[in-house]
């Protein structure tokens, strides 16, 4: 955490710095660290969808909820987060699959 805060070692590279989710394009791909405000939480049949800045969305499959402590995802709305994971285009928008709580960091 200290190395990350001080941008030391691996944290000094441009790939380890979060980028604003709004900067993603509809064809963005690859591993990313995103920073964004959470605008909305939606519950689908198989996933929880977390709407970020721009057209970016996080997806948590219901089958992966077993890895998360029971929590109210609505606590994220209006707050800033950092999300870590692989971005892929889905229905013309950038989506990041979140499989574990370590992939989400809520700002205090």
């Amino acid at each position: 955490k200290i190395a990350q805060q001080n941008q030391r070692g691996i944290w000094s590279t441009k790939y380890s710095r979060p980028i604003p989710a709004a900067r993603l394009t509809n064809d963005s791909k690859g591993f990313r660290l995103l920073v964004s405000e959470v605008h909305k939480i939606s519950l689908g049949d198989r996933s929880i969808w977390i709407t970020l800045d721009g057209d970016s969305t996080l997806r948590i499959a219901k089958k992966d909820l077993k890895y998360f402590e029971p929590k109210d995802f609505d606590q994220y709305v209006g707050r800033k987060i950092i999300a870590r994971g692989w971005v892929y285009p889905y229905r013309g928008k950038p989506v990041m699959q979140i499989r574990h709580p370590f992939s989400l960091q809520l700002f205090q």
Side-chain angles (χ1 to χ4, degrees):
K1 187 174 182 177
I2 292 169
Q4 184 179 12
Q5 289 172 345
N6 293 309
Q7 297 181 353
R8 302 275 184 180
I10 192 170
W11 300 108
S12 66
T13 68
K14 70 177 185 175
Y15 299 105
S16 64
R17 292 187 202 119
I19 63 167
R23 284 189 28 205
L24 292 179
T25 63
N26 294 343
D27 59 349
S28 291
K29 297 179 190 175
F31 188 83
R32 300 280 195 271
L33 292 173
L34 300 179
V35 62
S36 180
E37 181 178 324
V38 173
H39 295 281
K40 182 172 121 181
I41 306 289
S42 303
L43 194 56
D45 290 337
R46 296 180 300 196
S47 304
I48 292 175
W49 296 89
I50 302 173
T51 304
L52 306 177
D53 295 332
D55 285 335
S56 303
T57 307
L58 305 178
R59 176 182 177 263
I60 303 172
K62 286 187 177 176
K63 67 179 182 156
D64 292 329
L65 289 176
K66 63 187 173 194
Y67 302 117
F68 291 79
E69 301 255 343
K71 64 171 101 173
D72 181 8
F73 284 101
D74 288 333
Q75 73 175 327
Y76 290 101
V77 175
R79 306 223 13 228
K80 192 182 260 190
I81 62 164
I82 291 180
R84 297 165 183 80
W86 292 91
V87 173
Y88 59 94
Y90 178 73
R91 296 185 180 174
K93 297 183 179 185
V95 173
M96 178 184 286
Q97 177 78 30
I98 300 295
R99 303 221 45 218
H100 196 275
F102 288 136
S103 296
L104 287 177
Q105 178 183 352
L106 186 63
F107 281 85
Q108 299 300 333

Coordinates of all heavy atoms in Angstrom, one line a residue, residues 5 10 13 17 24-25 29 35-36 41 53 59 63 85-87 90 92 94-95 98 100 105-107:
Q5 N 1.0 4.1 -2.9 CA 0.8 5.5 -2.6 C 2.0 6.4 -3.1 O 1.8 7.5 -3.5 CB 0.5 5.7 -1.1 CG -0.8 5.2 -0.7 CD -1.0 5.2 0.8 OE1 0.0 5.3 1.6 NE2 -2.2 5.0 1.3
I10 N 6.9 -1.4 -9.1 CA 5.9 -1.7 -10.1 C 4.8 -0.6 -10.2 O 4.2 -0.3 -11.2 CB 5.3 -3.1 -9.9 CG1 4.5 -3.4 -11.2 CG2 4.4 -3.1 -8.7 CD1 4.0 -4.9 -11.2
T13 N 5.0 2.5 -12.9 CA 4.7 2.4 -14.3 C 3.3 3.0 -14.7 O 2.4 3.0 -13.8 CB 4.8 0.9 -14.8 OG1 3.7 0.2 -14.2 CG2 6.1 0.3 -14.4
R17 N -1.2 2.8 -12.8 CA -1.9 4.0 -12.4 C -3.3 3.9 -12.9 O -3.6 3.6 -14.0 CB -1.3 5.2 -12.9 CG 0.1 5.5 -12.3 CD 0.6 6.8 -12.7 NE 2.1 6.8 -12.5 CZ 3.0 7.0 -13.4 NH1 2.6 7.2 -14.6 NH2 4.2 6.9 -13.1
L24 N -12.4 5.3 -21.2 CA -12.4 4.0 -22.0 C -13.3 4.3 -23.2 O -14.3 5.0 -23.2 CB -13.1 2.9 -21.2 CG -12.2 2.4 -20.0 CD1 -13.0 1.3 -19.3 CD2 -10.9 1.9 -20.4
T25 N -12.9 3.6 -24.3 CA -13.7 3.7 -25.5 C -14.6 2.4 -25.6 O -14.4 1.4 -24.9 CB -12.8 3.8 -26.8 OG1 -12.0 2.7 -26.9 CG2 -12.0 5.1 -26.7
K29 N -10.0 -2.9 -24.5 CA -9.7 -4.2 -24.1 C -8.5 -4.3 -23.2 O -7.6 -3.4 -23.3 CB -9.5 -5.2 -25.2 CG -10.6 -5.3 -26.2 CD -10.1 -6.2 -27.3 CE -11.2 -6.2 -28.4 NZ -10.7 -7.0 -29.6
V35 N -10.6 4.3 -12.2 CA -11.1 5.1 -11.1 C -12.4 5.8 -11.6 O -12.4 6.2 -12.7 CB -10.0 6.1 -10.6 CG1 -9.6 7.1 -11.6 CG2 -10.5 6.8 -9.3
S36 N -13.4 5.8 -10.7 CA -14.6 6.3 -11.2 C -15.6 6.5 -10.0 O -15.4 5.9 -8.9 CB -15.3 5.4 -12.2 OG -16.6 5.9 -12.6
I41 N -26.5 1.0 -9.3 CA -26.4 -0.4 -9.1 C -27.6 -1.1 -9.7 O -28.8 -0.6 -9.3 CB -26.2 -0.9 -7.6 CG1 -25.1 -0.1 -7.0 CG2 -26.1 -2.4 -7.5 CD1 -23.7 -0.5 -7.4
D53 N -18.6 6.2 -14.6 CA -18.6 7.3 -15.5 C -18.5 6.9 -16.9 O -18.0 5.8 -17.2 CB -17.3 8.2 -15.1 CG -17.4 8.8 -13.8 OD1 -18.5 9.1 -13.2 OD2 -16.3 9.0 -13.2
R59 N -19.3 -5.7 -13.9 CA -20.2 -6.8 -13.8 C -19.8 -7.8 -12.7 O -18.6 -8.2 -12.8 CB -20.3 -7.5 -15.1 CG -21.2 -8.7 -15.1 CD -21.3 -9.4 -16.5 NE -22.1 -10.6 -16.4 CZ -21.6 -11.9 -16.2 NH1 -20.3 -12.1 -16.1 NH2 -22.4 -12.9 -16.2
K63 N -22.9 -15.9 -9.4 CA -22.1 -17.1 -8.9 C -20.9 -16.7 -8.2 O -20.4 -17.4 -7.4 CB -21.8 -18.0 -10.1 CG -20.8 -17.4 -11.1 CD -20.5 -18.4 -12.2 CE -19.4 -17.7 -13.1 NZ -18.6 -18.6 -13.8
G85 N -9.2 -5.2 -13.2 CA -9.6 -6.4 -13.9 C -9.5 -6.2 -15.4 O -8.9 -5.2 -15.9
W86 N -10.1 -7.1 -16.1 CA -10.0 -7.2 -17.6 C -11.2 -6.5 -18.2 O -12.3 -6.8 -17.9 CB -9.9 -8.6 -18.1 CG -8.6 -9.2 -17.7 CD1 -8.3 -9.9 -16.5 CD2 -7.4 -9.2 -18.4 NE1 -7.0 -10.3 -16.5 CE2 -6.4 -9.8 -17.7 CE3 -7.0 -8.6 -19.6 CZ2 -5.1 -10.0 -18.1 CZ3 -5.7 -8.7 -20.1 CH2 -4.8 -9.4 -19.3
V87 N -11.0 -5.5 -19.1 CA -12.0 -4.8 -19.8 C -12.3 -5.5 -21.1 O -11.3 -5.9 -21.8 CB -11.6 -3.3 -20.0 CG1 -12.6 -2.6 -20.8 CG2 -11.5 -2.6 -18.6
Y90 N -18.8 -5.2 -24.6 CA -20.0 -5.9 -24.4 C -21.2 -5.0 -24.8 O -21.4 -4.0 -24.2 CB -20.2 -6.5 -23.0 CG -21.5 -7.2 -22.8 CD1 -21.6 -8.5 -23.3 CD2 -22.5 -6.7 -22.0 CE1 -22.8 -9.3 -23.0 CE2 -23.7 -7.4 -21.8 CZ -23.8 -8.7 -22.3 OH -24.9 -9.4 -22.1
G92 N -21.4 -3.0 -27.2 CA -21.0 -1.7 -27.6 C -20.5 -0.8 -26.5 O -20.2 0.4 -26.7
P94 N -17.7 -0.6 -22.8 CA -16.7 -1.3 -22.0 C -17.2 -1.9 -20.7 O -17.9 -1.1 -19.9 CB -15.6 -0.2 -21.8 CG -16.4 1.1 -22.0 CD -17.6 0.8 -22.8
V95 N -16.9 -3.1 -20.5 CA -17.3 -3.8 -19.2 C -16.1 -4.4 -18.6 O -15.2 -5.0 -19.2 CB -18.4 -4.9 -19.5 CG1 -18.7 -5.7 -18.3 CG2 -19.6 -4.3 -20.1
I98 N -15.8 -8.3 -12.4 CA -15.3 -8.3 -11.1 C -15.6 -9.7 -10.5 O -16.8 -10.1 -10.3 CB -15.9 -7.2 -10.2 CG1 -15.6 -5.8 -10.8 CG2 -15.4 -7.3 -8.8 CD1 -14.2 -5.4 -10.9
H100 N -13.8 -10.9 -7.5 CA -13.4 -11.0 -6.1 C -13.4 -9.6 -5.5 O -13.1 -8.6 -6.2 CB -12.0 -11.6 -6.0 CG -11.7 -12.1 -4.7 ND1 -11.1 -11.3 -3.7 CD2 -11.8 -13.3 -4.1 CE1 -11.0 -12.0 -2.6 NE2 -11.4 -13.2 -2.8
Q105 N -11.8 -1.3 -4.7 CA -11.4 -0.5 -3.5 C -12.2 0.7 -3.4 O -12.3 1.5 -4.3 CB -9.9 -0.1 -3.8 CG -9.3 0.7 -2.7 CD -7.9 1.1 -3.0 OE1 -7.3 0.7 -3.9 NE2 -7.4 2.0 -2.1
L106 N -12.9 0.8 -2.3 CA -13.8 2.0 -2.0 C -13.0 3.0 -1.3 O -12.3 2.8 -0.4 CB -14.9 1.5 -1.1 CG -16.0 2.5 -0.8 CD1 -16.8 2.9 -2.1 CD2 -17.0 1.8 0.1
F107 N -13.0 4.3 -1.8 CA -12.4 5.4 -1.2 C -13.1 5.7 0.1 O -14.3 5.7 0.2 CB -12.3 6.6 -2.1 CG -11.3 6.5 -3.1 CD1 -11.5 5.9 -4.3 CD2 -10.0 7.1 -2.9 CE1 -10.5 5.8 -5.3 CE2 -9.0 7.0 -3.9 CZ -9.3 6.4 -5.1

